[in-house]
Amino acid sequence: MMDYLRYDAVGLAKLVADGEASPAELLEAAIVQVERCNPALNAVVHKLYDHARAAIAAGLPAGRFRGVPFLLKDLDLAMRGAPLSEGSGLMAGFAADFDSTLVARYKQAGLVIFGRTNSAELGLSFTTEPLAFGPTRNPHDPALSAGGSSGGAAAAVASGMAPMAHATDGGGSIRQPAALNGLFGLKPS
């Protein structure tokens, strides 16, 4: 199989489109990377591996990113049957019974959602250190912060767990963690 870490999201989608890799192979490579890196980084707080495998088994839409592993920030976006804790112990055990519009669009694009990333509690801090899940560490130096509030997303992408991830940004919550983790963050408006 291909070297998962050599490709960005566009490259992985092309491998799938060209028949050089399957969505299932990409997902398993992403899971291996999460299991290898996450114990030290604490970037992924909800593993949705079975959801992802079921989505692939049901057949993915022929979207632009068909088969590409993707992570959702544990803030704001509802996904049917998946936990949504907002980085807070107050939300423990909550799972939505619907997909938010953006999650539906991610799925239509063919993305394979396989986990949720750590977030500052309720997205209210520039560090990702919620009491509910503990701090996310920077993959370049685990003694340093990954930033926030999208620190889990930034650490996950920087460590190769996923080629891209969902984040939110009201006042720097994509841009600041991206910069601290050696990435770029895009704040669409």
Side-chain angles (χ1 to χ4, degrees):
M1 189 179 91
M2 83 292 138
D3 180 7
Y4 174 75
L5 297 176
R6 285 186 49 219
Y7 295 91
D8 63 10
V10 173
L12 291 174
K14 185 172 179 355
L15 289 176
V16 171
D18 293 346
E20 296 178 37
S22 71
E25 288 173 321
L26 297 184
L27 173 62
E28 295 309 317
I31 290 171
V32 165
Q33 192 66 5
V34 170
E35 294 301 318
R36 184 175 76 75
C37 297
N38 202 55
L41 302 178
N42 193 35
V44 177
V45 293
H46 299 295
K47 297 174 182 176
L48 305 175
Y49 303 162
D50 291 337
H51 283 268
R53 289 180 180 120
I56 291 170
L60 299 172
R64 174 72 171 102
F65 291 104
R66 183 176 178 273
V68 175
F70 190 72
L71 294 165
L72 291 178
K73 181 178 178 181
D74 187 30
L75 190 72
D76 299 334
L77 289 186
M79 181 173 143
R80 183 185 312 277
L84 175 58
S85 57
E86 309 273 344
S88 176
L90 295 173
M91 298 289 289
F94 175 76
D97 60 358
F98 67 97
D99 285 342
S100 68
T101 300
L102 188 54
V103 168
R105 288 180 181 174
Y106 285 151
K107 289 179 177 181
Q108 289 167 354
L111 291 166
V112 178
I113 299 167
F114 73 107
R116 283 199 181 268
T117 58
N118 206 359
S119 170
E121 187 166 0
L122 306 177
L124 297 176
S125 175
F126 285 112
T127 61
T128 301
E129 301 176 348
L131 292 177
F133 299 108
T136 294
R137 299 295 180 197
N138 189 306
H140 300 291
D141 183 347
L144 301 176
S145 173
S149 71
S150 301
V157 172
S159 65
M161 295 181 201
M164 62 180 176
H166 161 259
T168 58
D169 191 325
S173 295
I174 289 173
R175 295 163 287 156
Q176 184 251 24
L180 291 176
N181 287 275
L183 305 169
F184 71 91
L186 180 63
K187 179 182 178 178
S189 54

